[in-house]
């Protein structure tokens, strides 16, 4: 990020407003805040730096971001800004694949900033375990129903 900001300044991509360094993108309601008024970087800065690494340094053909749907507007702005400043070539693709919200045990939305989220692998493993339990429970119910039917029919014979 320390390298990206001077590059953006030198190329004339940043505009200054109230001490902040911003990228304005046509068709977007809000700008990307690359540097806050206190000199700190933002998620926008780290996301742009990540796109630079993936699309420029690693020369990826396609970047796919699988993130909850609530981040859709952010990714629209991010991808448009990355294209505007030349981090993404016309033939390269960037896509946001949105999904529903991941809830914690308290039924509240996970907040990655808090640092106490679950790793994706652990989340997927738990999902598989729960699915397997449901399947086993259903199979057990079928067996019980079959046994109940046999018990009810035997006296009729």
């Amino acid at each position: 990020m320390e390298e990206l900001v001077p590059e953006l300044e030198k190329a004339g991509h940043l505009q200054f407003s109230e001490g902040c360094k911003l990228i304005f993108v046509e068709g977007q309601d809000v700008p990307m805040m690359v540097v806050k008024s206190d000199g700190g970087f933002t998620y926008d800065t780290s996301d742009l730096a990540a796109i630079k690494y993936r699309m420029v340094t690693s020369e990826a053909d396609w970047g796919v971001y699988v993130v909850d749907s609530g981040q859709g507007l952010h990714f629209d702005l991010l991808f448009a800004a990355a294209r505007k400043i030349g981090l993404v070539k016309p033939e390269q693709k960037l896509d946001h694949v949105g999904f529903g919200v991941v809830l914690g045990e308290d039924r509240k939305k996970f907040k990655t900033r808090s640092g106490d989220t679950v790793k994706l692998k652990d989340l997927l493993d738990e999902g598989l375990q729960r699915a397997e339990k449901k399947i086993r429970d259903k199979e057990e119910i079928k067996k019980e129903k079959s046994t109940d039917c046999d018990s009810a029919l035997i006296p009729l014979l």
Side-chain angles (χ1 to χ4, degrees):
M1 290 186 286
E2 290 83 8
E3 295 172 12
L4 178 64
V5 174
E7 289 173 11
L8 295 175
E9 287 176 333
K10 185 177 177 182
H13 293 303
L14 298 180
Q15 294 182 21
F16 301 90
S17 176
E18 299 179 25
C20 300
K21 297 177 183 179
L22 310 169
I23 298 175
F24 286 88
V25 179
E26 189 176 327
Q28 298 292 326
D29 294 334
V30 296
M32 292 216 79
M33 184 179 297
V34 179
V35 180
K36 299 185 294 184
S37 60
D38 66 3
F41 297 127
T42 66
Y43 280 109
D44 293 345
T45 320
S46 60
D47 286 346
L48 284 170
I51 285 179
K52 179 182 177 191
Y53 178 78
R54 293 174 182 131
M55 307 312 277
V56 176
T57 305
S58 296
E59 298 179 336
D61 295 324
W62 190 7
V64 180
Y65 290 73
V66 182
V67 181
D68 81 77
S69 299
Q71 299 297 314
L73 293 176
H74 168 70
F75 284 102
D76 289 346
L77 177 59
L78 175 66
F79 297 163
R83 288 193 183 286
K84 176 183 178 178
I85 63 177
L87 297 180
V88 182
K89 297 175 188 171
E91 65 272 10
Q92 290 175 308
K93 296 186 340 183
L94 288 171
D95 284 309
H96 169 233
V97 177
F99 60 84
V101 178
V102 178
L103 303 177
E105 289 183 21
D106 60 359
R107 309 298 296 158
K108 292 183 180 176
K109 180 180 174 183
F110 271 144
K111 294 186 175 20
T112 56
R113 292 181 192 190
S114 69
D116 57 353
T117 55
V118 176
K119 291 181 181 177
L120 179 60
K121 180 188 181 316
D122 296 337
L123 182 67
L124 294 174
D125 287 346
E126 184 174 339
L128 285 172
Q129 290 170 359
R130 287 184 183 192
E132 288 171 354
K133 183 181 182 324
K134 284 190 179 259
I135 291 168
R136 282 193 304 275
D137 290 348
K138 285 184 179 186
E139 289 173 353
E140 192 62 37
I141 290 169
K142 283 181 184 178
K143 286 179 188 175
E144 288 173 10
K145 285 183 179 179
S146 175
T147 302
D148 290 344
C149 289
D150 291 348
S151 300
L153 293 174
I154 289 173
L156 297 173
L157 298 174

